[in-house]
Amino acid sequence: MEPLPRDPAGLADAYRVGPGRHLRVDFISSVDGAISVDGRSGPLGSDGDRRVFRTLRALADAVLVGAGTASAEGYRPVLPDSAVGRLRASLGREAVMPVVVVSRRASLRPDDQLVTDAVVPTVLVTCSSADSARRSALTAAGVDVLVRGDDDVDLPAALDALADRGLAQLVCEGGPTLVQAALTAGVVDELDLSVSPLLVGGGPGLVPAALPTPLRAQLQQVLAEDGVLFTRYSLS
């Protein structure tokens, strides 16, 4: 086990992946497996976890997130003058990138800050059963609406379409429903789990229901800082 690098370049090197498509899931849990406190993940975090969070965003082509998590956590666009934007620029990347919201019901408001404040259009991934008027209103507001699937989002097809747009390397930040769907569809390449030294009790876990087939995760890296473990697992 090694210490979590404190310099941005070293931390980026610790989490960098090779070229090509890659979907990583970034999340934090307590020692007893809870992923939130009173519905939010922030209370579990640490300075190191926030640095990893920013680094994974800086390395990604886009953020992938479920509509419920985006709403509960108050998601905002990645802007040039934000901490992530400045880190991306320092790593030689374009300062801005899109946030990709996944919602079977197209549950994104046209007046949401992800829509109104975005420098590059927010992408909404939904399915054809979502209300057509809502989809049209979001398109008119500047959202890039991507329809894949009939009664539910077809994640493999959606990831293919995103890769065709140059968004090949994604960091998924939850929530549990989206993570479960991605694991079930077999599209997750990597789990980046921060383990907070807290006991919460009674909290929901990362995967809310049993997977059709257990997946084997191969431990690739363990870093530590202030009692928090930062692990990387590849999925086979």
Side-chain angles (χ1 to χ4, degrees):
M1 185 187 307
E2 298 182 0
L4 187 74
R6 290 193 172 272
D7 65 295
L11 189 54
D13 287 342
Y15 281 92
R16 200 183 305 275
V17 298
R21 281 185 51 174
H22 194 83
L23 174 62
R24 67 199 324 167
V25 175
D26 175 37
F27 64 105
I28 187 169
S29 80
S30 63
V31 171
D32 56 342
I35 61 170
S36 64
V37 178
D38 295 329
R40 300 186 70 250
S41 61
L44 294 171
S46 67
D47 177 69
D49 179 62
R50 286 184 285 272
R51 298 200 317 273
V52 170
F53 174 85
R54 291 193 294 267
T55 298
L56 295 184
R57 282 188 160 204
L59 295 172
D61 297 323
V63 173
L64 186 73
V65 64
T69 294
S71 176
E73 301 282 352
Y75 267 53
R76 295 177 292 178
V78 176
L79 301 176
D81 61 349
S82 66
V84 172
R86 293 191 296 271
L87 179 57
R88 288 175 65 85
S90 74
L91 296 175
R93 310 212 63 198
E94 186 177 358
V96 296
M97 66 171 176
V99 175
V100 180
V101 179
V102 180
S103 173
R104 181 167 62 89
R105 297 185 177 87
S107 299
L108 180 65
R109 300 189 321 272
D111 63 348
D112 191 285
Q113 59 190 348
L114 278 173
V115 179
T116 59
D117 297 347
V119 174
V120 293
T122 292
V123 180
L124 174 73
V125 177
T126 189
C127 54
S128 58
S129 64
D131 184 84
S132 59
R134 186 177 301 145
R135 285 189 276 140
S136 296
L138 288 167
T139 300
V143 176
D144 184 359
V145 178
L146 177 62
V147 178
R148 290 294 185 276
D150 298 325
D151 295 323
D152 206 347
V153 173
D154 183 334
L155 274 179
L159 295 182
D160 286 342
L162 291 170
D164 289 342
R165 300 177 185 205
L167 308 178
Q169 298 198 353
L170 306 174
V171 55
C172 176
E173 297 174 354
T177 300
L178 176 56
V179 172
Q180 169 128 18
L183 290 170
T184 300
V187 295
V188 178
D189 300 293
E190 179 177 326
L191 299 177
D192 296 305
L193 166 64
S194 301
V195 182
S196 171
L198 292 178
L199 291 170
V200 176
L206 173 68
V207 185
L211 295 171
T213 303
L215 300 175
R216 180 174 295 278
Q218 181 69 39
L219 182 63
Q220 301 292 332
Q221 175 176 277
V222 182
L223 305 172
E225 181 180 280
D226 297 332
V228 182
L229 299 180
F230 301 91
T231 67
R232 290 182 68 183
Y233 291 88
S234 61
L235 293 185
S236 56

